[in-house]
Amino acid sequence: ELHKGKIWVQSEYGKGTCFFFSIPVTKEIEYFEVVKSQSGFAKNILILEDYSFDIQLFKECLKDDYNLFITNFVQKGLEVLEKEKIDFIILDYFLADGVGTDIVDYLLEKRAKIPLVLLSAEKKIKNLPVWDRYKHIVKRAVKTELKCEELKKILARYLEDS
């Protein structure tokens, strides 16, 4: 359901059973936007998200206080990390061109200490197969229904001392 697919069964007594599934295949278009805050002292946040509703929510919530680098592609996120000083990352688990753990692997490889929040549509994020490997670097794992005020509290907690 998360990927807009279907699963169904056709069975005929004495003949057998067939299981079917479908997953739509579409070519994702890379999205990248930089939104600069009017504040001269704004921190830089990298947002990796492929759901347009969440992108708009994060943008409206944070644009006045932070510089935002927003993309739906892992590769573009890696480019931003190479070129910009990023202070915080909001990372969706599933992205248009891969999984968000590629970003976490990059941070581990570079020994970067950038705090991040991992978002997922999964009901129990800590049950994801990669959780044990990344739990020490992920500051918070939340379902995708992250509200603006909750996000601001998380950012204040991890950015106030940096």
Side-chain angles (χ1 to χ4, degrees):
E1 291 176 359
L2 291 175
H3 299 284
K4 311 278 189 278
K6 296 179 184 175
I7 299 175
W8 69 97
V9 176
Q10 291 180 352
S11 183
E12 190 172 330
Y13 184 76
K15 287 194 170 189
T17 302
C18 289
F19 294 87
F20 299 91
F21 71 94
S22 70
I23 300 173
V25 177
T26 61
K27 175 123 174 85
E28 293 287 340
I29 297 171
E30 182 177 314
Y31 173 83
F32 180 66
E33 181 179 8
V34 177
V35 179
K36 294 286 188 175
S37 166
Q38 298 302 316
S39 167
F41 304 102
K43 303 264 185 186
N44 294 332
I45 297 178
L46 173 59
I47 300 172
L48 293 115
E49 174 61 67
D50 63 345
Y51 183 48
S52 59
F53 178 82
D54 286 343
I55 290 171
Q56 288 301 338
L57 178 117
F58 297 147
K59 191 165 39 170
E60 288 304 311
C61 178
L62 303 173
K63 68 181 180 183
D64 294 334
D65 301 314
Y66 301 98
N67 297 321
L68 308 175
F69 298 83
I70 307 166
T71 186
N72 62 341
F73 270 54
V74 171
Q75 280 308 123
K76 190 63 174 181
L78 293 171
E79 288 175 26
V80 171
L81 286 167
E82 285 288 330
K83 296 177 183 174
E84 302 290 338
K85 180 195 175 298
I86 297 299
D87 299 296
F88 196 89
I89 300 170
I90 298 170
L91 177 63
D92 188 10
Y93 186 79
F94 293 109
L95 293 164
D97 67 335
V99 291
T101 54
D102 292 343
I103 296 292
V104 182
D105 286 336
Y106 171 88
L107 297 175
L108 291 169
E109 178 185 314
K110 298 290 185 181
R111 292 188 160 90
K113 302 214 184 287
I114 304 170
L116 68 87
V117 168
L118 178 65
L119 305 173
S120 176
E122 297 293 323
K123 289 184 172 124
K124 294 186 178 178
I125 295 169
K126 293 181 180 179
N127 288 344
L128 291 171
V130 296
W131 178 254
D132 285 337
R133 180 166 178 208
Y134 300 119
K135 65 183 174 187
H136 66 285
I137 195 168
V138 175
K139 299 301 180 191
R140 186 89 183 263
V142 297
K143 280 195 50 82
T144 51
E145 296 96 21
L146 186 62
K147 305 289 186 250
C148 181
E149 290 309 312
E150 181 183 2
L151 180 57
K152 285 184 176 184
K153 285 179 188 174
I154 292 169
L155 289 170
R157 178 175 178 198
Y158 292 105
L159 292 177
E160 64 188 20
D161 296 328
S162 61

